[in-house]
Amino acid sequence: MPAEKRVEKITDMNLDFPQWYTDVVRKADLADYSETGGCIIVRPYGYGVWELITAHLDAKFKETGHENMYMPLLIPESLLEMEKDHIEGFAPEVAWVTHAGNEELTERFYIRPTSEPLFSAHYAKRIQSWRDLPCLYNQWCTVMRWEKTTRPFLRGREFMWQEGHTAHATKEESLAEALMILDIYSNFCENVLCIPVIKGQKTEREKFAGAMSTYTFEALMHDGKALQSGTTHDFGDKFARVFNIQYTDKNNQLQYATQSSWGVSSRLVGAIIMVHGDNNGLVLPPGVAPVQLMVVPVAAHKPGVREKAEEIRARLAKTLRCKIDNTDHAPGWKFAECEMKGIPLRLEIGPKDIENNQCVLVRRDTGEKITAPLDGIEKTATALLEEIRLNLFARAKARQESQTFTAQSVPELKQILDTTPGFVKAMWCGADACEVRVKEEATATSRCIPFTQERVGETCFVCGGTAEKMVVWSRAY
Amino acid sequence: MPAEKRVEKITDMNLDFPQWYTDVVRKADLADYSETGGCIIVRPYGYGVWELITAHLDAKFKETGHENMYMPLLIPESLLEMEKDHIEGFAPEVAWVTHAGNEELTERFYIRPTSEPLFSAHYAKRIQSWRDLPCLYNQWCTVMRWEKTTRPFLRGREFMWQEGHTAHATKEESLAEALMILDIYSNFCENVLCIPVIKGQKTEREKFAGAMSTYTFEALMHDGKALQSGTTHDFGDKFARVFNIQYTDKNNQLQYATQSSWGVSSRLVGAIIMVHGDNNGLVLPPGVAPVQLMVVPVAAHKPGVREKAEEIRARLAKTLRCKIDNTDHAPGWKFAECEMKGIPLRLEIGPKDIENNQCVLVRRDTGEKITAPLDGIEKTATALLEEIRLNLFARAKARQESQTFTAQSVPELKQILDTTPGFVKAMWCGADACEVRVKEEATATSRCIPFTQERVGETCFVCGGTAEKMVVWSRAY
């Protein structure tokens, strides 16, 4: 059977998760390897998912008053050197442009790994008065970080992202912005991508290079490893003091502006694969599926089948992203292909169905087959897509909960992560030394200090000192 | 008067066109200078125009079966060297990445000036059978060309563009694709941007590095200089033979694939400025105006004015891109600001208007003031925007025609371009030597061999030999 033949090519996710991931990326045709080491080619299907992610988020950014703009790709070396923490964080992994044509440049440029220095320099020129604030900007672009080990969508030398950069009058406002965007991100992640997240603050050790504080939303992948899915940063006036971004307030006093920045990237595509995928391939949440429903004519050579199938496609295309598979492959091959590509709903229609004025709808998430009348098929399909969305989230949420543990000691944490990986909650004294010990002894990192705190122990699980905060620990991508 | 104060800051376009251009770019807040030499910051208003351009074109590309994807920013040096003409064209102006972090790279990478080599390498891996064809891809990105002299939107080291890259089975198909896209471009340019164009083929000397043939659409700016507004290229099997892109056809014979590529860039924003702009600033075609109508309350402190103005904005916002200016600037300042930013329609409403259930609409293109009843204002505004679109095109077309001449000799050409710059039609024998002489003696270039030919002389206007073709010559941006 062709269907089985195709499916057997994927590695079992329970046997070799990294290989399963690579198989899905390649066989669902999300990405391909390129001639440029460490950089992927984002294939049309993967780019289609990204386009839908960007459309959702872009609308939210605009609703909340943000404007898109575009900063140069290259940044002069002198700007990188201005903020001490920022250069320490990024200098080791930036790509340097040193020549143009045959000439050596007098000043080197680096390809943006992120654009805080350019936005800060721009603000310094443009912000003079409280009337110029806030500045609420975003840009969609790619950035470059010269990683040693790369994985498609998860870690690459170049990746697609958006970077928001805002300037405000007060520290309260830049903090409120960072938290507001975190909500936009996590709501999108949970409601559209169907990925449950834990929201919280990064520890000092894990925060962004140059930030006052970093906020994160963390998701749990199928294999029990965490994925930092996006972050927002409150800079307070740190960059403003270095770049001299000052404005006169309403009382005619000179004040430093405050700033935030925030970003999500094509990592989210990796998260979708690793949270929802299964041994038949990709499973796409309906909100970001380039094709939400695929019509597959069965016994298409029989009179009237192709025409009826096309008629249904045209009807559904008015409200859904809908295609028809009119290739000359066998139906079994087409079914397997729909599954591999994670298309939420498949609509099968053959001569018998047409006789009975019905069709068969097959859910990608559960495999369930539903015989449905053709009358009102638009409503049926739309309702099913909504059910799929809710089910994907509920399923992922249940798994996340079943993979969340507590630990009272570092050996216990290590034992859990070695045997049943997941999120591990444990009390922490707040000392950096304890965080370092966890990394060294359990190869785990603090994911965040969750906003929703609970007491899961009496003392710091590392040193036994006074417990300040509950922290979520994990091994992470 | 504040209005005059603001307007007087722009240089008169008839006195100093380049300075007028720079003034409009800065004062309409389309772009700003950056810390990165030769690269601009595209400000939100300029980016908003670009977003509308991309939305229009992206829809057309998708309608005609093209898919977006994304190729790496960096290209290994070895790929550049594969196609002889391509390297000759681009090597002198590419930016080289030689180091990452503190390490020197073993192979240098260049930042894409265009992506033919990466697409060709990708096709070589993926195209095996006639079933794999055609491949119809596009990517939205920025590219880098290390120009010596730069001007915002017109010529920059980095600019925003789209690059289409397609692969086909036959030479007829790649040629048809190049011509089909040229039609999409020029229809968009004429119908949405309201810019009349001349379509034609580039001479051998002016064609793209590596192409079999290049097609172009050329527009005439206010100062009589030409702007190459976009190009499409038919590669035939030139790249396929170098990159070994072969497929088995239906008869099981091995064949080389054929390719096309095509692009338009943020240059189009420059074209809009230079075709439609006037001494009051920018004039935006309604189809790409981020704000199509600005509501300006007059005597806004009077009771009910602000509320009524907001009510009208909300009504119009359902069908138009519409904003309200509620700042505390004087109305005169606001009117001048609307003009500077090229907003197609301004709606003024004050207490007297409200009493009479009317408002005043002011056209940016003609300055005409129209008193219009508030009932049915949506229809009135929409109809006016359509009139503005038609008028902008008609006006630009009439100017282009009045600035189009014919010449029978190179001195005559030079004389025309020195005194009344524009397009100059002249017969050409087809010899490269004659084209070189025109460049040397009249500092003019061939813009294209128009598809629509006419005889404007008996012999080659340079050498007096047999006239092969009518060519349009000009000085160009």
Side-chain angles (χ1 to χ4, degrees):
Chain A
M1 273 176 53
E4 284 179 15
K5 197 177 162 212
R6 183 164 177 93
V7 170
E8 75 184 0
K9 289 191 209 157
I10 315 188
T11 306
D12 186 319
M13 70 194 302
N14 299 307
L15 295 181
D16 184 348
F17 193 78
Q19 187 58 49
W20 168 84
Y21 179 82
T22 306
D23 287 356
V24 172
V25 167
R26 297 298 303 280
K27 291 199 199 304
D29 207 10
L30 295 167
D32 200 350
Y33 295 106
S34 79
E35 305 295 313
T36 308
C39 298
I40 58 168
I41 293 165
V42 184
R43 292 276 307 158
Y45 198 59
Y47 200 85
V49 175
W50 180 242
E51 281 185 315
L52 290 163
I53 290 174
T54 61
H56 278 281
L57 287 174
D58 198 66
K60 286 286 169 200
F61 298 155
K62 283 177 176 154
E63 270 171 34
T64 46
H66 300 84
E67 296 178 297
N68 287 330
M69 58 181 287
Y70 186 75
M71 281 285 173
L73 172 72
L74 299 184
I75 310 179
E77 182 163 17
S78 53
L79 280 196
L80 176 62
E81 289 166 352
M82 286 182 73
E83 212 287 321
K84 186 180 62 66
D85 293 335
H86 193 70
I87 187 177
E88 275 179 24
F90 284 104
E93 58 180 28
V94 298
W96 290 103
V97 172
T98 59
H99 291 71
N102 289 318
E103 284 174 31
E104 186 167 357
L105 300 171
T106 51
E107 181 178 14
R108 303 196 301 173
F109 295 92
Y110 67 101
I111 298 176
R112 63 169 165 249
T114 179
S115 302
E116 279 76 8
L118 283 178
F119 276 93
S120 296
H122 188 53
Y123 289 144
K125 281 204 307 189
R126 295 191 68 106
I127 296 171
Q128 272 110 41
S129 142
W130 61 271
R131 287 169 185 275
D132 300 326
L133 294 169
C135 295
L136 306 174
Y137 300 141
N138 176 61
Q139 81 177 5
W140 293 95
C141 62
T142 66
V143 288
M144 185 152 282
R145 300 174 185 179
W146 213 263
E147 306 276 359
K148 303 277 183 221
T149 52
T150 60
R151 288 174 65 64
F153 296 114
L154 295 179
R155 191 171 290 278
R157 288 190 177 159
E158 184 186 11
F159 56 88
M160 307 186 292
W161 85 342
Q162 57 70 219
E163 46 180 321
H165 292 270
T166 64
H168 306 266
T170 67
K171 291 186 180 179
E172 290 71 27
E173 282 176 56
S174 62
L175 173 61
E177 169 82 8
L179 295 175
M180 191 263 292
I181 297 290
L182 194 74
D183 277 343
I184 288 180
Y185 284 163
S186 54
N187 288 338
F188 169 71
C189 212
E190 298 206 323
N191 299 330
V192 182
L193 304 186
C194 312
I195 297 175
V197 297
I198 295 181
K199 287 192 289 182
Q201 185 172 352
K202 284 286 186 190
T203 62
E204 284 297 298
R205 167 161 293 272
E206 296 291 330
K207 78 180 187 187
F208 180 80
M212 296 276 285
S213 53
T214 290
Y215 303 94
T216 182
F217 57 107
E218 303 276 331
L220 199 62
M221 304 298 105
H222 214 118
D223 62 346
K225 281 169 82 175
L227 187 78
Q228 176 181 305
S229 305
T231 47
T232 72
H233 316 292
D234 173 21
F235 294 116
D237 59 10
K238 267 188 87 174
F239 276 89
R241 285 178 183 272
V242 174
F243 283 85
N244 202 28
I245 310 168
Q246 286 185 296
Y247 69 94
T248 42
D249 67 14
K250 290 184 186 179
N251 303 319
N252 222 25
Q253 299 293 306
L254 211 56
Q255 303 282 0
Y256 283 107
T258 61
Q259 286 164 270
S260 87
S261 82
W262 27 276
V264 292
S265 73
S266 41
R267 272 206 139 180
L268 290 176
V269 179
I272 292 167
I273 300 169
M274 291 197 293
V275 169
H276 301 304
D278 62 24
N279 278 331
N280 292 329
L282 188 64
V283 177
L284 286 176
V288 294
V291 181
Q292 296 175 306
L293 183 148
M294 178 69 87
V295 177
V296 182
V298 176
H301 57 283
K302 294 273 175 73
V305 172
R306 227 173 250 274
E307 292 73 10
K308 192 71 183 175
E310 172 51 32
E311 178 199 315
I312 292 165
R313 186 209 60 78
R315 267 171 63 188
L316 288 170
K318 285 178 190 154
T319 45
L320 303 178
R321 291 186 292 275
C322 181
K323 279 197 174 173
I324 188 165
D325 187 344
N326 271 329
T327 61
D328 48 15
H329 291 292
W333 189 95
K334 293 181 183 181
F335 299 164
E337 180 73 5
C338 285
E339 286 176 6
M340 182 63 71
K341 294 209 139 190
I343 295 167
L345 274 181
R346 184 169 86 227
L347 188 154
E348 306 173 6
I349 185 155
K352 278 259 165 67
D353 299 308
I354 295 170
E355 246 172 57
N356 297 321
N357 198 37
Q358 66 184 34
C359 66
V360 176
L361 288 164
V362 186
R363 285 173 63 155
R364 175 63 182 91
D365 60 335
T366 58
E368 192 188 348
K369 294 187 175 205
I370 300 135
T371 302
L374 289 180
D375 300 334
I377 190 67
E378 295 90 342
K379 274 198 178 170
T380 313
T382 303
L384 273 174
L385 288 173
E386 177 61 6
E387 271 185 46
I388 291 170
R389 183 181 76 84
L390 295 171
N391 178 53
L392 285 179
F393 180 77
R395 203 160 80 172
K397 181 83 177 167
R399 195 171 65 238
Q400 191 213 69
E401 278 165 7
S402 77
Q403 289 176 301
T404 300
F405 311 94
T406 59
Q408 303 303 328
S409 70
V410 180
E412 191 190 352
L413 169 73
K414 183 173 187 304
Q415 154 105 49
I416 292 167
L417 294 180
D418 286 346
T419 52
T420 56
F423 283 145
V424 182
K425 297 174 178 176
M427 301 308 292
W428 177 55
C429 66
D432 184 58
C434 287
E435 199 177 339
V436 172
R437 264 187 63 194
V438 174
K439 208 164 192 169
E440 285 170 355
E441 294 174 19
T443 55
T445 49
S446 71
R447 303 319 308 154
C448 69
I449 308 163
F451 292 153
T452 307
Q453 283 282 313
E454 57 187 293
R455 280 197 87 77
V456 296
E458 295 310 308
T459 55
C460 173
F461 86 123
V462 190
C463 69
T466 309
E468 290 280 333
K469 294 282 180 192
M470 185 270 282
V471 167
V472 170
W473 310 81
S474 186
R475 290 180 185 146
Y477 279 95
Chain B
M1 271 176 56
E4 284 181 14
K5 198 177 162 211
R6 185 166 175 94
V7 170
E8 75 184 359
K9 289 190 209 157
I10 315 189
T11 306
D12 187 318
M13 69 193 302
N14 299 306
L15 295 181
D16 185 347
F17 192 78
Q19 187 59 48
W20 167 84
Y21 179 82
T22 306
D23 286 356
V24 172
V25 167
R26 297 299 303 281
K27 292 200 200 304
D29 206 11
L30 295 167
D32 199 350
Y33 295 107
S34 78
E35 304 294 314
T36 308
C39 298
I40 57 168
I41 293 166
V42 184
R43 292 275 308 157
Y45 198 58
Y47 199 85
V49 175
W50 180 242
E51 280 184 316
L52 290 162
I53 290 174
T54 62
H56 278 281
L57 287 174
D58 198 66
K60 286 286 171 202
F61 299 156
K62 283 176 175 155
E63 269 171 35
T64 45
H66 301 83
E67 297 178 296
N68 287 330
M69 58 181 289
Y70 186 76
M71 281 286 174
L73 171 74
L74 299 183
I75 310 179
E77 182 163 18
S78 53
L79 281 195
L80 176 62
E81 289 166 353
M82 286 182 75
E83 212 287 320
K84 187 179 63 65
D85 293 334
H86 192 69
I87 187 176
E88 274 178 24
F90 285 105
E93 59 179 29
V94 298
W96 289 103
V97 173
T98 58
H99 291 71
N102 288 318
E103 284 173 31
E104 186 166 357
L105 299 171
T106 50
E107 181 177 13
R108 304 197 301 173
F109 295 92
Y110 66 101
I111 297 177
R112 62 169 167 250
T114 178
S115 302
E116 279 75 8
L118 283 179
F119 276 93
S120 296
H122 187 54
Y123 289 144
K125 282 205 305 189
R126 294 191 68 105
I127 296 171
Q128 273 110 40
S129 143
W130 62 271
R131 290 169 183 274
D132 300 325
L133 293 168
C135 295
L136 306 174
Y137 300 141
N138 176 61
Q139 81 176 4
W140 294 96
C141 61
T142 67
V143 288
M144 185 152 281
R145 300 174 185 180
W146 213 264
E147 306 276 359
K148 302 277 183 221
T149 52
T150 61
R151 287 176 65 67
F153 297 114
L154 295 178
R155 193 171 289 276
R157 289 189 176 159
E158 184 186 10
F159 56 87
M160 306 186 293
W161 84 342
Q162 58 70 218
E163 45 180 321
H165 292 271
T166 65
H168 306 265
T170 68
K171 291 186 180 179
E172 290 72 26
E173 283 176 56
S174 61
L175 173 61
E177 169 83 9
L179 295 174
M180 190 263 292
I181 297 290
L182 194 74
D183 277 342
I184 288 179
Y185 284 162
S186 53
N187 289 338
F188 168 72
C189 213
E190 299 206 322
N191 299 329
V192 182
L193 303 186
C194 312
I195 297 174
V197 298
I198 296 181
K199 289 191 289 182
Q201 184 170 353
K202 285 287 184 189
T203 62
E204 284 298 297
R205 167 160 294 271
E206 297 290 331
K207 76 179 186 187
F208 179 81
M212 296 276 287
S213 52
T214 290
Y215 304 94
T216 182
F217 56 108
E218 303 276 331
L220 200 62
M221 304 299 104
H222 214 117
D223 62 347
K225 281 170 81 174
L227 186 78
Q228 176 182 303
S229 306
T231 47
T232 72
H233 316 292
D234 173 20
F235 293 116
D237 59 11
K238 265 188 90 175
F239 275 89
R241 285 178 183 273
V242 174
F243 283 85
N244 202 30
I245 309 169
Q246 285 186 295
Y247 70 93
T248 41
D249 67 14
K250 289 184 185 177
N251 304 319
N252 222 25
Q253 299 293 306
L254 212 55
Q255 303 282 0
Y256 283 107
T258 61
Q259 287 163 269
S260 88
S261 81
W262 28 276
V264 292
S265 73
S266 39
R267 270 205 141 181
L268 290 176
V269 179
I272 293 167
I273 300 169
M274 291 196 293
V275 169
H276 301 305
D278 62 24
N279 278 332
N280 292 329
L282 188 65
V283 177
L284 286 176
V288 295
V291 181
Q292 295 175 308
L293 183 147
M294 178 70 86
V295 177
V296 182
V298 177
H301 58 284
K302 296 271 176 76
V305 172
R306 228 174 249 277
E307 292 73 11
K308 192 70 184 176
E310 172 51 32
E311 179 199 313
I312 292 165
R313 186 209 60 79
R315 267 171 62 188
L316 288 170
K318 287 178 191 153
T319 45
L320 303 177
R321 291 185 292 276
C322 180
K323 277 196 174 173
I324 187 166
D325 187 344
N326 271 329
T327 60
D328 48 14
H329 291 291
W333 189 94
K334 293 181 185 182
F335 299 163
E337 179 73 6
C338 284
E339 285 175 7
M340 181 63 71
K341 294 208 139 191
I343 296 167
L345 274 181
R346 183 169 87 227
L347 187 154
E348 305 172 5
I349 184 155
K352 278 259 166 67
D353 300 308
I354 295 172
E355 247 172 57
N356 297 322
N357 198 37
Q358 67 184 35
C359 65
V360 176
L361 288 164
V362 186
R363 285 173 64 156
R364 175 63 182 91
D365 60 336
T366 58
E368 192 187 347
K369 294 188 177 205
I370 300 136
T371 302
L374 290 180
D375 301 333
I377 190 67
E378 295 91 340
K379 273 200 178 167
T380 313
T382 303
L384 272 174
L385 288 173
E386 177 62 7
E387 271 186 46
I388 291 170
R389 182 180 78 83
L390 295 171
N391 178 53
L392 285 179
F393 181 78
R395 202 160 81 171
K397 181 85 180 167
R399 196 172 62 239
Q400 192 213 70
E401 278 165 7
S402 78
Q403 288 176 302
T404 299
F405 310 94
T406 59
Q408 303 301 331
S409 71
V410 181
E412 190 189 353
L413 169 74
K414 183 172 186 306
Q415 154 104 47
I416 292 168
L417 294 180
D418 285 346
T419 52
T420 56
F423 283 145
V424 182
K425 298 174 176 176
M427 300 308 293
W428 176 56
C429 65
D432 184 57
C434 287
E435 199 177 341
V436 171
R437 264 188 62 195
V438 174
K439 208 164 191 169
E440 285 169 356
E441 294 174 19
T443 55
T445 49
S446 71
R447 303 319 307 154
C448 69
I449 308 162
F451 291 152
T452 307
Q453 283 283 313
E454 58 188 291
R455 280 197 86 79
V456 296
E458 295 309 309
T459 54
C460 174
F461 86 122
V462 189
C463 69
T466 308
E468 290 281 332
K469 295 282 181 192
M470 185 272 282
V471 168
V472 170
W473 311 81
S474 186
R475 292 183 184 143
Y477 279 95

